[in-house]
Amino acid sequence: MHNFQLFLQISDLTQFLQDCLHCWHFKSVNETLAKMNNKISYLLNTVRCIRRCNSALTPKSSAATRKHILWIGRYKDPLENVNFRKLFLNIFPSLPGSSLRFLSQKTDVFSTGAKIQPEKSTEALVSEQAPESSLELEKLDDSGSFKVKHVVDHSEPFFNSLQKCTCPCDVLDLASESAVSIKHFTNCLTTVWRLFKNLSEDQQRYEKQLIFEHPAFVKLCQQLLRDSRRMTRGDLVFSLHAVVNLGVPQNTLLVQTLVRVCQEKLNQLDNRCISVLATTLAGLDKDKNVSALQAGLQLLVEQRIPSIRNIFILQNLMKCMGKDAPVFLKKKLEMAVLKEIDHLTFPNALRVFLALVAMNYCSIPILNACSKKIQENVHDAPFRQLILILEACYSLQYRNVKLFSALADYVNSTACIWDKRQIILFLSAFETLGFQPSELMGVFAEKVTEDPEFLNLKNLLIVLRVYSRLNYVPRGQKHLFFETLHSCLNKYLPQISNTELLKAVYSFCILGYLPHRALDELLQKDSRDELLLSDDLYKEQKEMMLRCVKACTELDSPSFTKPAFVLTENFSSLVSLNLRKARDALIELLGDENMFRQNVQLPYKYHIDFEIRMDSDRKKVLPVAATDDHADSSVQRLAVLFVPLSAFCVGTMHPQGKLAMKKRHLNKLGYHVILVLNKKFQEMTNEDAVEFLKGKIYSEDAFPFPEVTVQDNN
């Protein structure tokens, strides 16, 4: 008892010395008292540890006595607890005269001469960190959260009991009974986060309330606040990561203190700690402390990149640096990944793919390597990751026909195990990329005709959009497929909006099918006026769609006959820059500018680049003026269209829906259509361009390029 009172006196002395440290400003006295304070604190912690370890360390599991009932009803934010805020959540704006240190004065993160520890192997890191930090980064799960594994002495009863905990409150109960050191507290906190993030969304809401109302959580946070500057680097960054992800507000004294300590210890962090810290900062809002730490971290990452040999850490840094990172830093990260690309695994290939999206940086060499690894292991990818890959390709404007074909073939070969709605999501993702998975679309069309009941209005509109844009009509069951979709649309007519009705009818019209009942509903005066008088961002698009629908009702009608004479007019005598080469080639080929017309405007708002008139045998080109004034059935009209690559499905010369509709309607108006890929034409020499047009004009069939694969990013 006497000894215990003695230690209490020493504790009071320690508190006195700590108070003096805040008041004295002489450097020599400060350092001396700091050493004394550390030694006395060590002594006190040792006594507390010995006293508490005498009692049984294994707690009674609260899981056995507490039932986990799903919390139903209005969710009350546990952070509204006033007592909780008073205990340790001191909001920064309410601190009078508080001064925030944005960068450590002791550790200059901007110094290029800072001593950097070389990265070591995994085994070396584990052995190095075992006595220093009980936490280590394992890997990143699908949600982007770090998994933490404990590198500790498993003979210690405390850590054995910690591993047996099955819910966050069990951990907090253990902390209140047995935690005696800062390492105990930090491990408790990270274990709480690990168990919490594995719960369902409803369970997380219930558990979060229990966590924030638990007395031990308040004490644990107070302990972190007091001992933040004595934590090891691993404990520090993982504690900040756990606190932020558990939902402790960013403007609290706890979070801001941990951020400021990270500033002070920034140069001491190893590569794994830098990776964890970067992930944590990516989830925080911008404030002065966070912005300062991010700036210092960015400089440190730039210095450390040459020493990082772990693709997992590199991809995480890429993701966390984000699209705002300077271009030179993105290039450095790219080069570091390329050095380790031979060791790329399938999971890391997926992560690197998504990291490039987060960084908004299209590195073709990295993407090609990742695509190859994904193609080899496509059967191991779950549904969600396949969709993310396609979305990433769209975001990066990356077109790889081999990758798309591999994904489409895999989904097609396993179509029997996929839900129909999942296949719709795949088709929608392919449609945004402009890639036509013809076999998969054929299989899905059969599923629709066999069982159309699964098509709700949303899915019906997606199916119509996909098949119309990619210009796919099922072979052998065209009429049945259209009739099935038409009957589904008729079922939703009483509840469909005018905008949705316009989209559905427009898609049908692009495919060359007229849904008469829906057309009558759309072209009623009230519906048409509502669409045209609406003042929104899509007004011009709606007008264009209505114009196309009206053209289709006339040109695609069975009663329409090819006119003997089509009224045309020259839109402009000026030729755009990308058509000057074609104009010069036609003049050289035909000998005179009067042998063709340019920028021709046709009825129904159709426009063609060049019009050429020939005799019925396609042997001789006729002057335009000689055939302008009268209709002659022996005269054949050629429409030459120079179109961009985006007008075709990716990897082929199969025209997409709008171009296919235009070609079909020009045929109805009496034109033979020649489609020329403008990009390929511009790459030709003048002599090759003339020979190419000669072959197209004087051939018996004026069709586009043969069905060859266009060169993609590979």
Side-chain angles (χ1 to χ4, degrees), residues 406-560:
L407 297 180
D409 292 343
Y410 167 63
V411 177
N412 181 45
S413 63
T414 57
C416 57
I417 67 173
W418 298 102
D419 183 81
K420 297 184 183 70
R421 294 170 183 81
Q422 289 179 314
I423 298 179
I424 289 177
L425 291 178
F426 276 119
L427 293 177
S428 180
F430 282 126
E431 179 259 333
T432 58
L433 292 166
F435 176 77
Q436 185 198 75
S438 54
E439 293 185 5
L440 179 60
M441 296 180 75
V443 170
F444 183 74
E446 293 180 3
K447 291 180 178 292
V448 170
T449 54
E450 292 172 0
D451 179 27
E453 294 301 322
F454 76 95
L455 284 176
N456 56 27
L457 179 58
K458 178 182 177 181
N459 290 335
L460 174 62
L461 293 175
I462 294 175
V463 171
L464 286 171
R465 187 189 74 233
V466 169
Y467 279 78
S468 61
R469 184 192 171 189
L470 298 180
N471 186 28
Y472 182 85
V473 178
R475 295 179 181 177
Q477 53 177 344
K478 172 182 177 180
H479 183 73
L480 178 60
F481 181 65
F482 287 158
E483 286 296 327
T484 302
L485 295 179
H486 186 196
S487 63
C488 290
L489 178 60
N490 290 338
K491 183 173 63 175
Y492 294 112
L493 283 181
Q495 65 191 72
I496 195 171
S497 68
N498 288 330
T499 301
E500 291 173 333
L501 179 60
L502 174 60
K503 291 178 180 178
V505 172
Y506 175 72
S507 297
F508 271 117
C509 290
I510 285 180
L511 291 169
Y513 180 83
L514 299 179
H516 295 289
R517 183 178 168 187
L519 266 172
D520 295 339
E521 186 83 18
L522 176 66
L523 296 180
Q524 287 181 0
K525 186 176 185 303
D526 293 341
S527 300
R528 189 175 66 254
D529 291 346
E530 181 182 339
L531 288 169
L532 294 178
L533 295 176
S534 61
D535 189 15
D536 56 16
L537 298 176
Y538 304 102
K539 184 178 180 179
E540 292 184 3
Q541 184 180 2
K542 291 177 182 178
E543 292 176 351
M544 180 274 297
M545 294 169 71
L546 274 174
R547 187 168 60 248
C548 289
V549 168
K550 290 180 180 179
C552 289
T553 57
E554 297 182 22
L555 296 175
D556 292 329
S557 173
S559 60
F560 180 81

Side-chain angles (χ1 to χ4, degrees), residues 337-386:
V337 172
L338 288 174
K339 288 180 181 178
E340 306 298 322
I341 207 70
D342 293 336
H343 307 295
L344 190 67
T345 61
F346 173 60
N348 279 338
L350 294 173
R351 296 188 183 109
V352 170
F353 221 100
L354 300 179
L356 288 171
V357 176
M359 202 167 59
N360 194 25
Y361 186 74
C362 184
S363 170
I364 299 300
I366 294 179
L367 288 171
N368 287 341
C370 292
S371 298
K372 184 177 179 181
K373 186 63 66 174
I374 292 171
Q375 293 172 48
E376 295 171 355
N377 300 273
V378 65
H379 294 83
D380 298 328
F383 165 77
R384 181 56 186 162
Q385 287 184 339
L386 294 177

Side-chain angles (χ1 to χ4, degrees), residues 75-212:
Y75 169 64
K76 183 178 180 182
D77 190 348
L79 293 181
E80 294 177 0
N81 189 324
V82 179
N83 294 330
F84 177 77
R85 287 182 177 273
K86 287 183 178 180
L87 283 172
F88 81 101
L89 292 184
N90 298 319
I91 309 300
F92 260 94
S94 65
L95 288 177
S98 62
S99 59
L100 305 182
R101 181 169 64 252
F102 303 131
L103 283 175
S104 170
Q105 297 173 355
K106 297 180 181 179
T107 306
D108 185 8
V109 299
F110 297 98
S111 173
T112 57
K115 185 177 180 180
I116 300 173
Q117 298 179 359
E119 183 169 355
K120 304 179 181 179
S121 65
T122 304
E123 294 79 4
L125 278 168
V126 171
S127 62
E128 175 193 55
Q129 286 189 318
E132 177 193 29
S133 174
S134 57
L135 305 171
E136 183 188 348
L137 175 64
E138 188 177 61
K139 63 179 181 177
L140 204 64
D141 61 13
D142 293 336
S143 63
S145 302
F146 283 94
K147 291 184 178 179
V148 178
K149 61 180 180 181
H150 296 275
V151 186
V152 297
D153 183 4
H154 293 284
S155 63
E156 293 188 33
F158 177 83
F159 292 109
N160 289 336
S161 300
L162 187 61
Q163 289 184 343
K164 295 177 183 178
C165 295
T166 58
C167 67
C169 287
D170 285 349
V171 178
L172 295 176
D173 292 340
L174 175 63
S176 65
E177 297 179 16
S178 306
V180 294
S181 67
I182 185 59
K183 196 166 296 297
H184 288 175
F185 288 113
T186 55
N187 274 268
C188 285
L189 181 63
T190 52
T191 304
V192 166
W193 162 239
R194 177 176 57 82
L195 295 173
F196 177 81
K197 71 184 180 68
N198 291 330
L199 300 174
S200 66
E201 184 176 349
D202 290 335
Q203 288 175 325
Q204 283 185 354
R205 284 199 297 267
Y206 173 65
E207 281 290 342
K208 187 174 183 179
Q209 184 179 19
L210 294 179
I211 290 171
F212 281 94

Side-chain angles (χ1 to χ4, degrees), residues 574-614:
L574 298 177
V575 180
S576 60
L577 291 176
N578 62 337
L579 292 179
R580 287 183 181 178
K581 184 174 183 178
R583 179 178 178 275
D584 295 341
L586 286 173
I587 292 175
E588 183 175 347
L589 175 64
L590 304 179
D592 192 349
E593 191 173 353
N594 295 322
M595 303 300 288
F596 62 90
R597 298 175 66 187
Q598 58 195 23
N599 289 335
V600 181
Q601 191 70 34
L602 301 178
Y604 307 102
K605 299 289 185 178
Y606 281 125
H607 168 266
I608 56 179
D609 297 320
F610 298 98
E611 179 186 358
I612 300 173
R613 299 180 184 179
M614 305 184 72

